[in-house]
Amino acid sequence: MSLDLIMGNAIFKTGIGLDVPVTDGLLSLGLAGNLFGVNLVDGGVAPTIVGNPTKLDDYTTLLGPSGYLDLNVKETESFTYFVISKLWNSGSGGNTQLIGTFQSYAADGTTSVVGSGIVFEAPGYRDVICSTYDGASGASSPNNQIITDVSDLPTTEATASWRCLVGCYDKTGVYASGATVRMKRIFDKTANKGSGSQVASDVQRDMRGNETIRWGTTNSRISQSKSIAHMGYAFYNRQLTQTEIDAMYARFKEIAALQGFTI
């Protein structure tokens, strides 16, 4: 099964028919630039543009504290996030949420929930956030997984490079044949880097959060200081298989190639 997205010449340099290779569990899919603010999933929930995101060109939008996209979709226990962003290792600026529910609140408005998503740390670390707690009233833990090798990242904004990051949580071990259950994983597909580990059996995913997924900035508990250029995102309510992740990455690479850059 596929999802056909027809995008005309007014949107891209060359009109394309985008056949999305993985649609099972796809709740939100978006591109920046001229299509920013549209959920390209047929029948999907419409997102909300918050603040004043800056359109940089036909395919890129600058997101951060001045403006972001609220997907109006809540996180799920198992998940797969994709985000295509222009990254550099500045060594400062605090944590930057690329997509997710990082640092939010429960329905009571006071209980802190770390959330889920993909976060870019000031030292250049690339994280998947997979918050957990004791299942009762305990504190929320980020339970993050990190790519700590930053040697591949540029060190100035002027030389920042496009990256496709994938963050996921695999409750039941569907990533590949014989995969371990309860695995959290972060990939930089562009740099061919990844990291994963198993979530302990004495905790569970913290689903108390009451906020929706944001593309481009942190949730309400903390303020983000950095703005970053973005090209696209996708959110699935399940763990994709390794083959499915590779297929979606290939499709995003094709979109980027039409604009003259690689991811």
Side-chain angles (χ1 to χ4, degrees):
M1 182 178 178
S2 65
L3 174 68
D4 293 321
L5 306 176
I6 307 301
M7 306 173 189
N9 289 325
I11 296 172
F12 287 97
K13 296 173 184 175
T14 305
I16 65 172
L18 176 61
D19 179 27
V20 177
V22 184
T23 59
D24 181 17
L26 179 61
L27 298 188
S28 194
L29 169 69
L31 297 174
N34 290 337
L35 276 176
F36 181 75
V38 178
N39 182 359
L40 295 170
V41 177
D42 186 27
V45 176
T48 301
I49 298 173
V50 180
N52 297 288
T54 303
K55 178 183 173 183
L56 299 177
D57 51 43
D58 287 351
Y59 58 90
T60 306
T61 302
L62 188 70
L63 302 178
S66 296
Y68 62 92
L69 191 69
D70 189 326
L71 274 54
N72 291 320
V73 173
K74 290 188 177 181
E75 65 174 310
T76 53
E77 184 174 8
S78 289
F79 58 80
T80 304
Y81 291 98
F82 288 79
V83 68
I84 296 89
S85 313
K86 205 169 189 180
L87 303 181
W88 74 100
N89 180 13
S90 66
S92 63
N95 292 327
T96 300
Q97 175 164 263
L98 303 179
I99 186 169
T101 61
F102 180 55
Q103 298 293 6
S104 56
Y105 288 104
D108 61 13
T110 58
T111 301
S112 301
V113 179
V114 180
S116 66
I118 300 175
V119 170
F120 188 54
E121 294 189 40
Y125 297 162
R126 285 144 283 186
D127 298 17
V128 62
I129 306 297
C130 181
S131 66
T132 56
Y133 78 126
D134 62 7
S137 58
S140 187
S141 165
N143 218 318
N144 54 332
Q145 187 68 30
I146 308 172
I147 298 174
T148 56
D149 180 3
V150 302
S151 60
D152 58 293
L153 288 170
T155 56
T156 66
E157 185 173 4
T159 59
S161 61
W162 286 104
R163 301 299 175 98
C164 177
L165 304 186
V166 183
C168 39
Y169 173 64
D170 186 2
K171 180 181 179 180
T172 57
V174 302
Y175 175 69
S177 178
T180 303
V181 299
R182 299 170 63 83
M183 285 290 291
K184 52 187 176 179
R185 298 181 177 91
I186 178 70
F187 301 101
D188 183 329
K189 299 295 287 182
T190 309
N192 194 28
K193 289 184 175 181
S195 180
S197 67
Q198 189 175 29
V199 173
S201 61
D202 60 348
V203 295
Q204 66 184 53
R205 278 275 288 121
D206 192 347
M207 301 304 298
R208 295 174 294 176
N210 197 45
E211 299 184 22
T212 47
I213 296 167
R214 296 181 180 184
W215 179 25
T217 198
T218 48
N219 283 66
S220 62
R221 282 193 60 238
I222 65 172
S223 297
Q224 178 174 310
S225 61
K226 185 182 292 184
S227 295
I228 287 180
H230 291 259
M231 190 205 84
Y233 76 88
F235 171 67
Y236 290 84
N237 66 1
R238 65 181 181 90
Q239 168 71 61
L240 269 60
T241 66
Q242 183 176 16
T243 299
E244 290 173 327
I245 288 173
D246 289 343
M248 281 301 297
Y249 174 48
R251 191 65 78 240
F252 278 124
K253 285 176 69 176
E254 291 173 354
I255 297 172
L258 287 171
Q259 313 313 314
F261 64 91
T262 59
I263 61 170

